[in-house]
Amino acid sequence: MPKPANFARLPFNWYKPPLPVEQRKQVYLPEFTITLIRTPFLPPRYASFWVPLSFNKLDLKDYLKRVYNVDVIKVRSYVEQQKVTRERPMGKEGYGPLRRPMSKKKMTVELTEPFVWPEEPTDYSPWERDTYFDAKKSQDDFQEAHGHDAAMKAPERERELLAEQATRLKAGKEAWQPTWQTLGLNFERPLLKPHSTKSSQSSSPPQK
C-alpha cells in the first residue's frame, strides 16, 4: 500500500501571497461623491453638481470626460456657506453651542451638447415616498414633544382638534355627549337609598 505524500503543514495564519501588481486587474474607485442637481431653470447646455470642497475645475472636467465621455467648455464654482445652527454635527440629535456647518461647493458646467432632464415621476409608490415622510413627521413630532422646551409650547394640535370638533357640533354633523359616554363607561346606575340608621333608644337614667 503506497504511503501518502508527506506535505508540509502550513501555519494557521498563512495566506496565499497576492499576484504582482502588473498581473492584477486594476480597479480604481472614486473616494468622493458628486451629486447632479435638478435645475429646470438653467438652459439645456448647463448642469450643476455638488462636489467636495477639495475639488477644482480641472478635476470635474477630467471626471466628466473620463467617466461619461462628456466634453465641457467652461466650469464655474461657488462655495456656499451654511447657516449658523445649534444642532449637533453629523445629524445627531441634541442641542449644542452655536456653530456653522461645513460649507458646500457647487459647480456649474457648460456642455458642448445639450442635456435634458427626464420628466419627474408622478407616482412615488415604488420608492415608498409617503412612508418615508410619514415616519419622518412622526419622529419630528416625538422629538418636539419631548424636547427641553416642550412644556413651554402651546398644545397646537389639541387646539386644532377642539376647533374641528366645535365646527362639527355647530353644523349638526356630530352630537354632543359627555366624556364618560364617549369612553363607553356606564354611570347610569340606580340611586342608592340612604341607609336608615336607627337612633339609639337608650333613655337617660331617671333623675332622682
Side-chain angles (χ1 to χ4, degrees):
M1 183 176 179
K3 294 182 180 180
N6 188 13
F7 294 102
R9 181 172 295 180
L10 299 175
F12 69 94
N13 58 351
W14 181 88
Y15 65 94
K16 185 178 179 181
L19 295 174
V21 177
E22 58 273 5
Q23 298 182 13
R24 302 180 200 171
K25 183 179 181 180
Q26 302 297 317
V27 178
Y28 299 96
L29 299 178
E31 298 179 352
F32 49 83
T33 302
I34 298 178
T35 306
L36 178 61
I37 308 172
R38 181 181 288 272
T39 51
F41 51 87
L42 290 180
R45 290 179 55 187
Y46 288 85
S48 295
F49 301 87
W50 290 116
V51 300
L53 289 174
S54 59
F55 243 53
N56 56 37
K57 299 179 180 180
L58 297 179
D59 292 335
L60 182 60
K61 187 174 181 179
D62 185 71
Y63 174 81
L64 296 176
K65 179 61 179 178
R66 293 180 179 273
V67 178
Y68 299 102
N69 196 21
V70 174
D71 294 323
V72 175
I73 301 175
K74 185 171 58 176
V75 182
R76 291 178 296 175
S77 64
Y78 169 72
V79 178
E80 178 181 335
Q81 287 189 350
Q82 303 301 302
K83 296 182 180 179
V84 178
T85 180
R86 285 187 179 270
E87 296 180 357
R88 293 186 179 180
M90 304 301 294
K92 295 182 180 179
E93 301 177 2
Y95 187 80
L98 287 171
R99 68 178 191 89
R100 186 184 295 275
M102 183 180 296
S103 303
K104 294 183 178 180
K105 192 170 188 178
K106 180 191 293 186
M107 286 190 178
T108 303
V109 299
E110 183 179 357
L111 309 175
T112 56
E113 298 180 2
F115 168 76
V116 179
W117 270 90
E119 295 184 2
E120 189 173 355
T122 56
D123 183 17
Y124 292 93
S125 56
W127 298 277
E128 300 182 353
R129 179 184 181 182
D130 297 338
T131 305
Y132 168 77
F133 282 107
D134 292 343
K136 187 176 184 303
K137 185 178 183 303
S138 300
Q139 186 178 8
D140 294 342
D141 294 343
F142 178 83
Q143 293 179 1
E144 184 178 357
H146 295 78
H148 65 283
D149 57 345
M152 306 297 294
K153 294 182 179 180
E156 299 293 341
R157 181 57 181 168
E158 287 76 2
R159 290 180 176 180
E160 294 177 0
L161 294 177
L162 288 176
E164 293 176 0
Q165 186 178 17
T167 304
R168 293 194 301 269
L169 290 174
K170 290 181 179 179
K173 299 180 180 179
E174 182 178 344
W176 182 88
Q177 56 184 355
T179 306
W180 60 270
Q181 290 184 359
T182 305
L183 298 177
L185 303 177
N186 184 14
F187 285 170
E188 296 180 353
R189 295 177 296 181
L191 297 177
L192 299 177
K193 295 181 179 180
H195 183 66
S196 60
T197 59
K198 295 182 179 181
S199 61
S200 62
Q201 298 178 0
S202 60
S203 59
S204 60
Q207 297 180 357
K208 292 183 180 181

Short mmCIF file of all heavy atoms in Angstrom, two decimals, residues 131-191:
data_model
loop_
_atom_site.label_atom_id
_atom_site.label_comp_id
_atom_site.label_asym_id
_atom_site.label_seq_id
_atom_site.Cartn_x
_atom_site.Cartn_y
_atom_site.Cartn_z
N THR A 131 -44.36 56.71 2.90
CA THR A 131 -43.96 56.06 4.15
C THR A 131 -42.78 56.77 4.78
O THR A 131 -42.71 56.95 6.01
CB THR A 131 -43.61 54.59 3.89
OG1 THR A 131 -44.72 53.95 3.24
CG2 THR A 131 -43.31 53.86 5.18
N TYR A 132 -41.84 57.19 3.95
CA TYR A 132 -40.66 57.88 4.47
C TYR A 132 -41.04 59.21 5.13
O TYR A 132 -40.60 59.50 6.26
CB TYR A 132 -39.67 58.13 3.33
CG TYR A 132 -38.55 59.07 3.70
CD1 TYR A 132 -37.48 58.65 4.48
CD2 TYR A 132 -38.59 60.40 3.26
CE1 TYR A 132 -36.47 59.53 4.82
CE2 TYR A 132 -37.57 61.28 3.60
CZ TYR A 132 -36.51 60.84 4.37
OH TYR A 132 -35.52 61.71 4.71
N PHE A 133 -41.88 60.01 4.48
CA PHE A 133 -42.24 61.30 5.03
C PHE A 133 -43.14 61.15 6.26
O PHE A 133 -43.06 61.96 7.19
CB PHE A 133 -42.92 62.16 3.96
CG PHE A 133 -41.96 62.77 2.99
CD1 PHE A 133 -41.87 62.31 1.69
CD2 PHE A 133 -41.12 63.81 3.37
CE1 PHE A 133 -40.97 62.87 0.79
CE2 PHE A 133 -40.23 64.38 2.48
CZ PHE A 133 -40.15 63.91 1.19
N ASP A 134 -44.01 60.13 6.27
CA ASP A 134 -44.83 59.90 7.46
C ASP A 134 -43.97 59.52 8.66
O ASP A 134 -44.19 60.01 9.78
CB ASP A 134 -45.85 58.80 7.18
CG ASP A 134 -46.91 59.23 6.17
OD1 ASP A 134 -47.03 60.46 5.94
OD2 ASP A 134 -47.58 58.36 5.60
N ALA A 135 -42.99 58.65 8.42
CA ALA A 135 -42.10 58.26 9.53
C ALA A 135 -41.26 59.45 10.00
O ALA A 135 -41.04 59.63 11.21
CB ALA A 135 -41.20 57.11 9.08
N LYS A 136 -40.82 60.26 9.05
CA LYS A 136 -40.03 61.44 9.43
C LYS A 136 -40.87 62.43 10.23
O LYS A 136 -40.40 63.02 11.21
CB LYS A 136 -39.46 62.12 8.18
CG LYS A 136 -38.49 63.25 8.48
CD LYS A 136 -37.90 63.80 7.19
CE LYS A 136 -36.85 64.87 7.49
NZ LYS A 136 -37.39 65.98 8.32
N LYS A 137 -42.13 62.62 9.83
CA LYS A 137 -43.00 63.54 10.56
C LYS A 137 -43.27 63.02 11.97
O LYS A 137 -43.28 63.79 12.94
CB LYS A 137 -44.32 63.73 9.80
CG LYS A 137 -45.24 64.77 10.43
CD LYS A 137 -46.50 64.95 9.61
CE LYS A 137 -47.38 66.03 10.22
NZ LYS A 137 -47.73 65.75 11.63
N SER A 138 -43.50 61.70 12.09
CA SER A 138 -43.73 61.13 13.42
C SER A 138 -42.50 61.31 14.31
O SER A 138 -42.63 61.63 15.50
CB SER A 138 -44.08 59.65 13.29
OG SER A 138 -45.25 59.48 12.52
N GLN A 139 -41.33 61.12 13.74
CA GLN A 139 -40.10 61.30 14.51
C GLN A 139 -39.90 62.75 14.92
O GLN A 139 -39.52 63.04 16.07
CB GLN A 139 -38.90 60.82 13.71
CG GLN A 139 -37.58 60.83 14.48
CD GLN A 139 -36.43 60.29 13.66
OE1 GLN A 139 -36.57 60.04 12.47
NE2 GLN A 139 -35.29 60.12 14.28
N ASP A 140 -40.18 63.68 14.02
CA ASP A 140 -40.05 65.10 14.37
C ASP A 140 -41.05 65.51 15.44
O ASP A 140 -40.71 66.27 16.36
CB ASP A 140 -40.24 65.96 13.11
CG ASP A 140 -39.13 65.75 12.10
OD1 ASP A 140 -38.06 65.22 12.47
OD2 ASP A 140 -39.34 66.08 10.91
N ASP A 141 -42.29 65.00 15.35
CA ASP A 141 -43.29 65.32 16.36
C ASP A 141 -42.89 64.76 17.72
O ASP A 141 -43.08 65.41 18.76
CB ASP A 141 -44.65 64.76 15.94
CG ASP A 141 -45.19 65.46 14.70
OD1 ASP A 141 -44.68 66.54 14.36
OD2 ASP A 141 -46.10 64.90 14.06
N PHE A 142 -42.32 63.55 17.73
CA PHE A 142 -41.89 62.96 19.00
C PHE A 142 -40.76 63.76 19.62
O PHE A 142 -40.75 64.02 20.84
CB PHE A 142 -41.46 61.51 18.76
CG PHE A 142 -40.97 60.81 20.00
CD1 PHE A 142 -41.86 60.24 20.89
CD2 PHE A 142 -39.61 60.73 20.28
CE1 PHE A 142 -41.42 59.61 22.03
CE2 PHE A 142 -39.15 60.09 21.41
CZ PHE A 142 -40.06 59.53 22.30
N GLN A 143 -39.79 64.18 18.81
CA GLN A 143 -38.68 64.96 19.34
C GLN A 143 -39.16 66.32 19.83
O GLN A 143 -38.68 66.82 20.85
CB GLN A 143 -37.62 65.14 18.27
CG GLN A 143 -36.90 63.85 17.87
CD GLN A 143 -35.87 64.07 16.79
OE1 GLN A 143 -35.67 65.18 16.33
NE2 GLN A 143 -35.22 62.99 16.37
N GLU A 144 -40.13 66.91 19.13
CA GLU A 144 -40.64 68.21 19.56
C GLU A 144 -41.44 68.09 20.85
O GLU A 144 -41.39 68.97 21.72
CB GLU A 144 -41.50 68.82 18.46
CG GLU A 144 -41.99 70.22 18.76
CD GLU A 144 -42.79 70.80 17.61
OE1 GLU A 144 -42.90 70.13 16.56
OE2 GLU A 144 -43.29 71.93 17.76
N ALA A 145 -42.18 66.98 20.99
CA ALA A 145 -42.98 66.79 22.20
C ALA A 145 -42.14 66.47 23.42
O ALA A 145 -42.57 66.69 24.56
CB ALA A 145 -44.01 65.67 21.97
N HIS A 146 -40.95 65.93 23.22
CA HIS A 146 -40.08 65.56 24.34
C HIS A 146 -38.83 66.45 24.41
O HIS A 146 -37.83 66.06 25.01
CB HIS A 146 -39.66 64.10 24.23
CG HIS A 146 -40.80 63.12 24.37
ND1 HIS A 146 -41.68 62.87 23.34
CD2 HIS A 146 -41.20 62.37 25.41
CE1 HIS A 146 -42.58 61.99 23.75
NE2 HIS A 146 -42.32 61.67 24.98
N GLY A 147 -38.89 67.60 23.78
CA GLY A 147 -37.75 68.50 23.81
C GLY A 147 -37.62 69.21 25.15
O GLY A 147 -38.47 69.09 26.05
N HIS A 148 -36.53 69.96 25.28
CA HIS A 148 -36.28 70.64 26.54
C HIS A 148 -37.26 71.79 26.78
O HIS A 148 -37.49 72.18 27.92
CB HIS A 148 -34.84 71.18 26.55
CG HIS A 148 -34.61 72.25 25.52
ND1 HIS A 148 -34.45 71.95 24.18
CD2 HIS A 148 -34.55 73.61 25.61
CE1 HIS A 148 -34.27 73.07 23.50
NE2 HIS A 148 -34.34 74.09 24.33
N ASP A 149 -37.86 72.33 25.72
CA ASP A 149 -38.80 73.42 25.86
C ASP A 149 -40.22 73.01 25.49
O ASP A 149 -41.05 73.86 25.14
CB ASP A 149 -38.37 74.60 24.99
CG ASP A 149 -38.23 74.20 23.52
OD1 ASP A 149 -38.19 72.98 23.24
OD2 ASP A 149 -38.16 75.10 22.66
N ALA A 150 -40.51 71.70 25.56
CA ALA A 150 -41.84 71.23 25.17
C ALA A 150 -42.91 71.74 26.13
O ALA A 150 -44.04 72.03 25.71
CB ALA A 150 -41.86 69.70 25.13
N ALA A 151 -42.58 71.87 27.43
CA ALA A 151 -43.59 72.32 28.39
C ALA A 151 -43.95 73.79 28.21
O ALA A 151 -45.01 74.23 28.68
CB ALA A 151 -43.07 72.08 29.81
N MET A 152 -43.12 74.56 27.52
CA MET A 152 -43.38 75.98 27.33
C MET A 152 -44.20 76.27 26.08
O MET A 152 -44.64 77.40 25.87
CB MET A 152 -42.05 76.74 27.24
CG MET A 152 -41.11 76.51 28.41
SD MET A 152 -41.82 77.10 29.97
CE MET A 152 -41.89 78.85 29.66
N LYS A 153 -44.41 75.25 25.24
CA LYS A 153 -45.13 75.46 24.00
C LYS A 153 -46.62 75.17 24.18
O LYS A 153 -47.00 74.32 24.99
CB LYS A 153 -44.57 74.55 22.90
CG LYS A 153 -43.13 74.89 22.51
CD LYS A 153 -42.66 74.00 21.39
CE LYS A 153 -41.23 74.33 20.97
NZ LYS A 153 -40.75 73.45 19.88
N ALA A 154 -47.43 75.90 23.42
CA ALA A 154 -48.87 75.68 23.48
C ALA A 154 -49.25 74.41 22.73
O ALA A 154 -48.62 74.07 21.73
CB ALA A 154 -49.60 76.88 22.86
N PRO A 155 -50.26 73.70 23.21
CA PRO A 155 -50.69 72.47 22.52
C PRO A 155 -51.45 72.78 21.24
O PRO A 155 -52.68 72.82 21.20
CB PRO A 155 -51.59 71.78 23.57
CG PRO A 155 -52.12 72.90 24.40
CD PRO A 155 -51.04 73.95 24.44
N GLU A 156 -50.72 73.04 20.17
CA GLU A 156 -51.33 73.45 18.92
C GLU A 156 -52.21 72.35 18.34
O GLU A 156 -53.30 72.62 17.82
CB GLU A 156 -50.25 73.84 17.90
CG GLU A 156 -49.38 75.01 18.34
CD GLU A 156 -50.16 76.31 18.41
OE1 GLU A 156 -51.24 76.37 17.78
OE2 GLU A 156 -49.69 77.25 19.07
N ARG A 157 -51.77 71.10 18.43
CA ARG A 157 -52.56 70.00 17.86
C ARG A 157 -53.88 69.84 18.60
O ARG A 157 -54.93 69.64 17.97
CB ARG A 157 -51.75 68.70 17.93
CG ARG A 157 -52.47 67.49 17.33
CD ARG A 157 -52.85 67.74 15.90
NE ARG A 157 -53.56 66.58 15.33
CZ ARG A 157 -54.20 66.62 14.17
NH1 ARG A 157 -54.24 67.74 13.45
NH2 ARG A 157 -54.81 65.54 13.70
N GLU A 158 -53.88 69.95 19.92
CA GLU A 158 -55.11 69.84 20.68
C GLU A 158 -56.06 70.98 20.35
O GLU A 158 -57.28 70.79 20.26
CB GLU A 158 -54.81 69.83 22.18
CG GLU A 158 -54.20 68.53 22.69
CD GLU A 158 -52.74 68.40 22.33
OE1 GLU A 158 -52.20 69.34 21.70
OE2 GLU A 158 -52.13 67.37 22.67
N ARG A 159 -55.51 72.17 20.12
CA ARG A 159 -56.36 73.29 19.73
C ARG A 159 -57.03 73.06 18.39
O ARG A 159 -58.21 73.36 18.20
CB ARG A 159 -55.52 74.57 19.68
CG ARG A 159 -55.05 75.07 21.04
CD ARG A 159 -54.23 76.34 20.90
NE ARG A 159 -53.85 76.89 22.19
CZ ARG A 159 -53.13 78.00 22.35
NH1 ARG A 159 -52.71 78.67 21.28
NH2 ARG A 159 -52.83 78.43 23.56
N GLU A 160 -56.28 72.52 17.44
CA GLU A 160 -56.86 72.24 16.13
C GLU A 160 -57.97 71.19 16.22
O GLU A 160 -59.02 71.33 15.59
CB GLU A 160 -55.77 71.76 15.18
CG GLU A 160 -54.72 72.83 14.86
CD GLU A 160 -53.61 72.29 13.99
OE1 GLU A 160 -53.68 71.09 13.65
OE2 GLU A 160 -52.68 73.06 13.64
N LEU A 161 -57.75 70.15 17.03
CA LEU A 161 -58.78 69.11 17.17
C LEU A 161 -60.03 69.67 17.83
O LEU A 161 -61.16 69.34 17.42
CB LEU A 161 -58.21 67.94 17.98
CG LEU A 161 -57.08 67.15 17.32
CD1 LEU A 161 -56.56 66.07 18.26
CD2 LEU A 161 -57.54 66.52 16.02
N LEU A 162 -59.88 70.51 18.86
CA LEU A 162 -61.04 71.10 19.51
C LEU A 162 -61.78 72.03 18.56
O LEU A 162 -63.02 72.07 18.57
CB LEU A 162 -60.60 71.85 20.76
CG LEU A 162 -60.14 70.98 21.95
CD1 LEU A 162 -59.64 71.85 23.08
CD2 LEU A 162 -61.27 70.08 22.44
N ALA A 163 -61.06 72.79 17.75
CA ALA A 163 -61.71 73.69 16.79
C ALA A 163 -62.50 72.89 15.74
O ALA A 163 -63.61 73.26 15.37
CB ALA A 163 -60.67 74.58 16.13
N GLU A 164 -61.94 71.79 15.26
CA GLU A 164 -62.64 70.96 14.29
C GLU A 164 -63.89 70.33 14.92
O GLU A 164 -64.96 70.26 14.28
CB GLU A 164 -61.71 69.87 13.78
CG GLU A 164 -60.54 70.40 12.95
CD GLU A 164 -59.58 69.31 12.54
OE1 GLU A 164 -59.85 68.14 12.90
OE2 GLU A 164 -58.57 69.60 11.87
N GLN A 165 -63.77 69.88 16.15
CA GLN A 165 -64.93 69.29 16.80
C GLN A 165 -66.03 70.34 17.04
O GLN A 165 -67.22 70.05 16.88
CB GLN A 165 -64.52 68.65 18.13
CG GLN A 165 -65.65 67.88 18.81
CD GLN A 165 -65.20 67.23 20.10
OE1 GLN A 165 -64.16 67.59 20.65
NE2 GLN A 165 -65.98 66.28 20.59
N ALA A 166 -65.65 71.55 17.42
CA ALA A 166 -66.64 72.61 17.62
C ALA A 166 -67.34 72.96 16.31
O ALA A 166 -68.56 73.21 16.29
CB ALA A 166 -65.96 73.84 18.21
N THR A 167 -66.61 72.95 15.21
CA THR A 167 -67.23 73.22 13.91
C THR A 167 -68.25 72.15 13.54
O THR A 167 -69.35 72.45 13.04
CB THR A 167 -66.14 73.31 12.83
OG1 THR A 167 -65.18 74.31 13.20
CG2 THR A 167 -66.74 73.67 11.48
N ARG A 168 -67.91 70.88 13.81
CA ARG A 168 -68.86 69.81 13.51
C ARG A 168 -70.10 69.88 14.41
O ARG A 168 -71.22 69.59 13.97
CB ARG A 168 -68.17 68.45 13.67
CG ARG A 168 -67.08 68.18 12.65
CD ARG A 168 -66.69 66.71 12.65
NE ARG A 168 -66.20 66.28 13.95
CZ ARG A 168 -64.90 66.32 14.32
NH1 ARG A 168 -64.00 66.77 13.47
NH2 ARG A 168 -64.53 65.92 15.51
N LEU A 169 -69.93 70.27 15.66
CA LEU A 169 -71.07 70.39 16.56
C LEU A 169 -72.00 71.52 16.14
O LEU A 169 -73.23 71.37 16.16
CB LEU A 169 -70.58 70.62 17.99
CG LEU A 169 -69.89 69.44 18.68
CD1 LEU A 169 -69.32 69.85 20.02
CD2 LEU A 169 -70.86 68.28 18.85
N LYS A 170 -71.43 72.65 15.71
CA LYS A 170 -72.26 73.76 15.26
C LYS A 170 -73.02 73.41 13.98
O LYS A 170 -74.15 73.83 13.79
CB LYS A 170 -71.40 75.00 15.03
CG LYS A 170 -70.85 75.60 16.31
CD LYS A 170 -70.02 76.84 16.01
CE LYS A 170 -69.48 77.48 17.27
NZ LYS A 170 -68.66 78.69 16.98
N ALA A 171 -72.37 72.64 13.10
CA ALA A 171 -73.03 72.28 11.84
C ALA A 171 -74.01 71.14 12.01
O ALA A 171 -74.72 70.79 11.05
CB ALA A 171 -71.96 71.90 10.80
N GLY A 172 -74.09 70.54 13.16
CA GLY A 172 -75.00 69.43 13.40
C GLY A 172 -74.54 68.10 12.85
O GLY A 172 -75.33 67.16 12.78
N LYS A 173 -73.26 68.00 12.48
CA LYS A 173 -72.74 66.75 11.97
C LYS A 173 -72.35 65.77 13.07
O LYS A 173 -72.12 64.60 12.80
CB LYS A 173 -71.52 67.02 11.08
CG LYS A 173 -71.81 67.87 9.87
CD LYS A 173 -70.56 68.11 9.05
CE LYS A 173 -70.84 68.97 7.83
NZ LYS A 173 -69.60 69.22 7.03
N GLU A 174 -72.30 66.26 14.27
CA GLU A 174 -71.89 65.41 15.39
C GLU A 174 -72.71 65.81 16.60
O GLU A 174 -72.93 66.99 16.86
CB GLU A 174 -70.40 65.58 15.67
CG GLU A 174 -69.87 64.69 16.79
CD GLU A 174 -68.38 64.86 16.97
OE1 GLU A 174 -67.73 65.40 16.05
OE2 GLU A 174 -67.86 64.45 18.03
N ALA A 175 -73.19 64.82 17.32
CA ALA A 175 -74.00 65.07 18.51
C ALA A 175 -73.10 65.08 19.74
O ALA A 175 -72.20 64.24 19.87
CB ALA A 175 -75.08 63.99 18.67
N TRP A 176 -73.37 66.03 20.61
CA TRP A 176 -72.54 66.13 21.81
C TRP A 176 -72.95 65.08 22.81
O TRP A 176 -74.14 64.76 22.96
CB TRP A 176 -72.68 67.52 22.41
CG TRP A 176 -71.81 67.69 23.63
CD1 TRP A 176 -70.53 68.10 23.66
CD2 TRP A 176 -72.19 67.43 24.99
NE1 TRP A 176 -70.05 68.11 24.94
CE2 TRP A 176 -71.06 67.70 25.79
CE3 TRP A 176 -73.37 67.00 25.60
CZ2 TRP A 176 -71.07 67.55 27.17
CZ3 TRP A 176 -73.39 66.84 26.98
CH2 TRP A 176 -72.24 67.11 27.75
N GLN A 177 -72.01 64.54 23.49
CA GLN A 177 -72.27 63.59 24.57
C GLN A 177 -71.17 63.71 25.60
O GLN A 177 -70.05 64.10 25.28
CB GLN A 177 -72.34 62.16 24.03
CG GLN A 177 -71.13 61.70 23.25
CD GLN A 177 -71.32 60.33 22.67
OE1 GLN A 177 -72.34 59.69 22.93
NE2 GLN A 177 -70.36 59.87 21.91
N PRO A 178 -71.49 63.39 26.83
CA PRO A 178 -70.47 63.52 27.88
C PRO A 178 -69.27 62.61 27.62
O PRO A 178 -69.32 61.66 26.84
CB PRO A 178 -71.21 63.11 29.16
CG PRO A 178 -72.66 63.27 28.84
CD PRO A 178 -72.79 62.99 27.38
N THR A 179 -68.20 62.94 28.28
CA THR A 179 -66.97 62.19 28.07
C THR A 179 -67.13 60.75 28.49
O THR A 179 -66.63 59.83 27.83
CB THR A 179 -65.81 62.84 28.85
OG1 THR A 179 -65.73 64.22 28.47
CG2 THR A 179 -64.49 62.15 28.55
N TRP A 180 -67.84 60.49 29.59
CA TRP A 180 -67.96 59.11 30.06
C TRP A 180 -68.77 58.26 29.09
O TRP A 180 -68.54 57.05 28.98
CB TRP A 180 -68.56 59.08 31.47
CG TRP A 180 -69.94 59.70 31.58
CD1 TRP A 180 -70.24 60.99 31.85
CD2 TRP A 180 -71.18 59.02 31.41
NE1 TRP A 180 -71.58 61.20 31.86
CE2 TRP A 180 -72.20 59.98 31.61
CE3 TRP A 180 -71.54 57.72 31.13
CZ2 TRP A 180 -73.54 59.67 31.53
CZ3 TRP A 180 -72.87 57.39 31.06
CH2 TRP A 180 -73.88 58.36 31.25
N GLN A 181 -69.70 58.88 28.34
CA GLN A 181 -70.41 58.12 27.31
C GLN A 181 -69.51 57.86 26.10
O GLN A 181 -69.57 56.80 25.49
CB GLN A 181 -71.67 58.87 26.88
CG GLN A 181 -72.76 58.92 27.95
CD GLN A 181 -74.01 59.58 27.44
OE1 GLN A 181 -74.07 60.04 26.30
NE2 GLN A 181 -75.04 59.65 28.30
N THR A 182 -68.67 58.83 25.77
CA THR A 182 -67.74 58.64 24.65
C THR A 182 -66.75 57.52 24.94
O THR A 182 -66.40 56.73 24.06
CB THR A 182 -66.98 59.95 24.38
OG1 THR A 182 -67.93 61.01 24.18
CG2 THR A 182 -66.10 59.82 23.15
N LEU A 183 -66.33 57.42 26.18
CA LEU A 183 -65.40 56.36 26.57
C LEU A 183 -66.08 55.02 26.80
O LEU A 183 -65.40 54.02 27.05
CB LEU A 183 -64.64 56.77 27.84
CG LEU A 183 -63.77 58.03 27.70
CD1 LEU A 183 -63.13 58.36 29.04
CD2 LEU A 183 -62.69 57.81 26.65
N GLY A 184 -67.42 54.98 26.75
CA GLY A 184 -68.13 53.72 26.93
C GLY A 184 -68.32 53.32 28.36
O GLY A 184 -68.55 52.12 28.65
N LEU A 185 -68.24 54.27 29.28
CA LEU A 185 -68.43 53.96 30.69
C LEU A 185 -69.92 54.00 31.03
O LEU A 185 -70.71 54.71 30.41
CB LEU A 185 -67.66 54.94 31.56
CG LEU A 185 -66.14 55.03 31.27
CD1 LEU A 185 -65.51 56.09 32.15
CD2 LEU A 185 -65.48 53.69 31.51
N ASN A 186 -70.30 53.23 32.04
CA ASN A 186 -71.70 53.13 32.44
C ASN A 186 -71.85 53.76 33.82
O ASN A 186 -71.53 53.14 34.83
CB ASN A 186 -72.15 51.67 32.46
CG ASN A 186 -73.65 51.54 32.78
OD1 ASN A 186 -74.38 52.53 32.73
ND2 ASN A 186 -74.07 50.34 33.12
N PHE A 187 -72.28 55.00 33.81
CA PHE A 187 -72.52 55.69 35.07
C PHE A 187 -74.01 55.82 35.38
O PHE A 187 -74.39 56.47 36.34
CB PHE A 187 -71.90 57.08 35.03
CG PHE A 187 -70.40 57.07 35.16
CD1 PHE A 187 -69.66 58.22 34.93
CD2 PHE A 187 -69.74 55.91 35.53
CE1 PHE A 187 -68.29 58.20 35.05
CE2 PHE A 187 -68.38 55.89 35.66
CZ PHE A 187 -67.64 57.03 35.42
N GLU A 188 -74.88 55.22 34.55
CA GLU A 188 -76.32 55.33 34.77
C GLU A 188 -76.76 54.21 35.73
O GLU A 188 -77.46 53.28 35.37
CB GLU A 188 -77.06 55.23 33.44
CG GLU A 188 -76.74 56.38 32.48
CD GLU A 188 -77.49 56.24 31.17
OE1 GLU A 188 -78.14 55.18 30.98
OE2 GLU A 188 -77.43 57.16 30.34
N ARG A 189 -76.31 54.31 36.93
CA ARG A 189 -76.69 53.34 37.94
C ARG A 189 -77.84 53.88 38.77
O ARG A 189 -77.95 55.10 38.96
CB ARG A 189 -75.49 53.04 38.84
CG ARG A 189 -74.33 52.37 38.11
CD ARG A 189 -73.16 52.16 39.02
NE ARG A 189 -72.62 53.45 39.48
CZ ARG A 189 -71.57 53.57 40.27
NH1 ARG A 189 -70.95 52.49 40.73
NH2 ARG A 189 -71.13 54.77 40.63
N PRO A 190 -78.72 53.01 39.25
CA PRO A 190 -79.83 53.50 40.09
C PRO A 190 -79.29 54.12 41.37
O PRO A 190 -78.27 53.69 41.91
CB PRO A 190 -80.65 52.24 40.35
CG PRO A 190 -79.69 51.11 40.18
CD PRO A 190 -78.75 51.55 39.10
N LEU A 191 -80.01 55.14 41.79
CA LEU A 191 -79.58 55.82 43.01
C LEU A 191 -79.76 54.90 44.20
O LEU A 191 -80.76 54.18 44.34
CB LEU A 191 -80.39 57.10 43.20
CG LEU A 191 -80.22 58.16 42.11
CD1 LEU A 191 -81.13 59.36 42.39
CD2 LEU A 191 -78.77 58.61 42.05
#
